[in-house]
Amino acid sequence: MGRLFGTSGVRGVVGKQITPQLVMDLGLSLAAQLGNSGTVVVGRDPRTSSDMLEGSLISGLLSGGCEVCRLGVVPTPVVSFAVRMLRAKAGAMITASHNPPEYNGVKLFDASGMAYTPVLEGRIERIYSGRKWRQVNWDEIGAVEELNVLPDYVGTLAGRVQLTKEYKVVVDCGNGAASVVAPLLLREVGCKVISLNAQPDGLFPGRPLEPSPENLTELCRVVRSTEADLGIAHDGDADRVVVVDEKGVVVPGDEILALVAAEHLNREGDKMVTTVDASNVVEEVVGGRGGKVIRTKVGDVSVAVEIRRHEASCGGEPCGAWIFPRFGMAPDGLLGALKVLELLNTSGKRMSELLAPLPDYYMLREKVPCPEDRKAKVMALVSKRLMKEFSEATGVLRVDGIRVNLLDGWVLVRASGTEPYIRVTVEARTPGRAEEILRKATKSVKRLL
Ligand code: MG
């Protein structure tokens, strides 16, 4: 039996890594970790395998003595919301987020609606690998309750946003879980909505699920042709939001995160959390408003953990996973979209006008091939080598790989968690300087191989 949890929860290709048996055993393991009692909220995305895996997961949970509340097809943040609303013991979402249609997986949430941390995943992993679960007697088997929480979710979110203007918004749901709620929610807050790919379809015929600029050309085109104020795109399970300005240009994730976070700080506190790979534009914008930026490991779970530890007002990753702890501890792409509209409304400006004054930064990335068994050694030695190469360094951050801060940029060297590579990311104020830093940094890494 292989390892259950990878870098993004339980995830893999259906029929290969992800089988009905594995997901049922996961259900039994989760039930055991919860003490073989209590309610677990279960949601799923529209993948062709999600129905099947939902059956397996529920079977395991019931057999392990838990009750199940079944939400049907919903975005991942709705599972987190429902766990809190129903005071359930845990939540489970069947999804593979932005991965291609043949993938699927399970993401778990604790009673506070926060994703399972590596510590909690470790507990499940031990139960699972030792098969230390318990199947309850026939007269202790739990029941399934079907529940539609979408009206509560939409009502709660819409109640938090007051827009004084009618915005024309094009929303691209990618045929994913956002389809069941994003257009409705945007109408609920008074927007004029044009929806794209808004029928849930497990083959995802509209576009690939990763909301990257190359996959959003249709959205950009429709924003321009309809003279919309804003374009919004979600990934497959809608825990992420990507924004397109009124000119039909995809807004860099670091920039929109910085603007939304800065707006949030004014009202709710002075700390925000982002990951080591986000642009310095976050410090410039948030710092410019008197806020403090806390840098953490890549991944939305690390962001959530740090938000809680520092009582930060918000946090997020440049990929569009944003967390607003006053609402919940899970990234929520639908709430994110409302925060962007609120930003437009408060400022009275268009999106491109909000972006125009931001400083220019140039980010470059390179993958240096590195065998799995050499990664640890290279990473142990790379720090010294980088410090020698960049003697002008102003600081070093070791929360995830090594990040060397320079007066006019930074370099981040990390071992990939899933592939045989060392990843080098650099940022600078000019393209030329970014290339220079990248050259020096990759040379340092290659020398150790
Ligand atoms: Mg996702």
Side-chain angles (χ1 to χ4, degrees):
M1 210 176 284
R3 262 180 63 82
L4 197 52
F5 292 93
T7 43
S8 40
V10 179
R11 201 178 290 180
V13 175
V14 175
K16 287 188 177 159
Q17 299 90 348
I18 303 295
T19 61
Q21 184 66 57
L22 176 138
V23 175
M24 188 170 82
D25 291 349
L26 171 64
L28 279 161
S29 306
L30 175 59
Q33 188 251 322
L34 297 173
N36 298 101
S37 70
T39 301
V40 178
V41 171
V42 176
R44 66 174 201 269
D45 73 9
R47 286 168 194 273
T48 56
S49 57
S50 289
D51 248 335
M52 171 185 84
L53 297 177
E54 182 194 60
S56 304
L57 184 71
I58 291 178
S59 183
L61 287 166
L62 297 178
S63 172
C66 285
E67 308 285 329
V68 168
C69 183
R70 177 156 61 188
L71 306 182
V73 174
V74 290
T76 297
V78 174
V79 171
S80 166
F81 170 83
V83 167
R84 282 170 289 130
M85 186 180 96
L86 303 167
R87 297 181 198 284
K89 245 183 180 172
M93 175 71 187
I94 295 156
T95 182
S97 188
H98 59 275
N99 287 127
E102 64 271 25
Y103 282 73
N104 214 334
V106 183
K107 185 157 187 170
L108 301 178
F109 294 88
D110 68 15
S112 73
M114 191 166 124
Y116 264 41
T117 58
V119 174
L120 283 176
E121 286 184 347
R123 274 181 212 162
I124 302 265
E125 187 92 50
R126 280 191 290 280
I127 297 167
Y128 172 83
S129 57
R131 299 177 70 85
K132 287 180 192 141
W133 56 68
R134 184 166 79 83
Q135 287 175 307
V136 299
N137 274 329
W138 66 270
D139 55 350
E140 297 167 77
I141 295 170
V144 180
E145 187 192 354
E146 314 262 346
L147 204 63
N148 177 12
V149 296
L150 288 177
D152 292 288
Y153 176 76
V154 168
T156 307
L157 256 69
R160 299 181 144 244
V161 178
Q162 304 290 319
L163 302 178
T164 56
K165 191 187 150 199
E166 184 189 63
Y167 289 94
K168 192 196 268 188
V169 181
V170 187
V171 60
D172 181 348
C173 302
N175 303 108
S179 308
V180 301
V181 62
L184 181 81
L185 175 64
L186 291 167
R187 280 189 194 105
E188 195 67 27
V189 297
C191 292
K192 195 165 179 219
V193 181
I194 298 159
S195 41
L196 301 179
N197 307 315
Q199 306 79 36
D201 186 330
L203 299 175
F204 308 113
R207 64 160 165 91
L209 288 173
E210 173 69 39
S212 54
E214 60 274 20
N215 292 337
L216 300 179
T217 49
E218 178 69 3
L219 172 63
C220 294
R221 193 187 62 74
V222 175
V223 167
R224 278 191 298 269
S225 66
T226 59
E227 298 183 342
D229 297 297
L230 196 69
I232 293 289
H234 297 291
D235 67 331
D237 63 332
D239 59 350
R240 286 162 54 192
V241 59
V242 169
V243 173
V244 171
D245 74 10
E246 82 284 358
K247 293 180 174 168
V249 178
V250 178
V251 179
D254 321 81
E255 297 188 2
I256 188 67
L257 170 65
L259 289 172
V260 169
E263 188 61 28
H264 223 64
L265 292 167
N266 277 347
R267 290 173 304 206
E268 296 185 8
D270 66 349
K271 281 184 219 149
M272 72 85 67
V273 177
T274 194
T275 48
V276 284
D277 59 338
S279 165
N280 273 359
V281 78
V282 180
E283 271 86 358
E284 292 225 8
V285 175
V286 171
R289 295 273 191 96
K292 184 176 181 317
V293 178
I294 295 155
R295 294 273 184 169
T296 183
K297 265 189 228 165
V298 173
D300 63 76
V301 182
S302 318
V303 173
V305 168
E306 290 303 292
I307 287 177
R308 185 164 279 174
R309 199 154 74 95
H310 295 278
E311 295 181 354
S313 62
C314 67
E317 290 192 278
C319 68
W322 305 342
I323 299 172
F324 300 93
R326 279 222 181 160
F327 178 76
M329 290 307 293
D332 188 332
L334 304 141
L335 178 62
L338 298 189
K339 294 286 179 189
V340 173
L341 282 161
E342 214 173 30
L343 171 70
L344 284 184
N345 199 235
T346 315
S347 68
K349 291 182 178 163
R350 316 217 70 185
M351 184 48 74
S352 68
E353 293 171 343
L354 287 169
L355 298 165
L358 298 187
D360 285 330
Y361 277 104
Y362 298 88
M363 217 184 261
L364 294 173
R365 293 183 179 85
E366 193 163 320
K367 305 192 285 191
V368 181
C370 174
E372 213 53 59
D373 57 347
R374 307 264 332 257
K375 276 182 182 173
K377 184 142 187 247
V378 172
M379 287 310 296
L381 297 172
V382 79
S383 156
K384 217 173 169 182
R385 179 72 65 175
L386 285 174
M387 295 311 286
K388 209 167 158 189
E389 196 70 57
F390 297 96
S391 51
E392 77 276 28
T394 56
V396 181
L397 209 61
R398 291 173 205 276
V399 284
D400 194 354
I402 173 161
R403 179 176 148 136
V404 177
N405 291 329
L406 309 168
L407 269 178
D408 57 347
W410 50 268
V411 51
L412 172 70
V413 178
R414 290 175 64 228
S416 164
T418 50
E419 294 173 294
Y421 291 109
I422 301 280
R423 295 183 191 282
V424 182
T425 310
V426 308
E427 187 181 62
R429 301 303 288 263
T430 64
R433 176 67 176 141
E435 272 163 33
E436 186 192 340
I437 300 174
L438 184 67
R439 220 171 23 241
K440 279 169 89 175
T442 46
K443 195 176 81 187
S444 300
V445 174
K446 282 176 181 164
R447 272 198 184 166
L448 298 169
L449 282 160

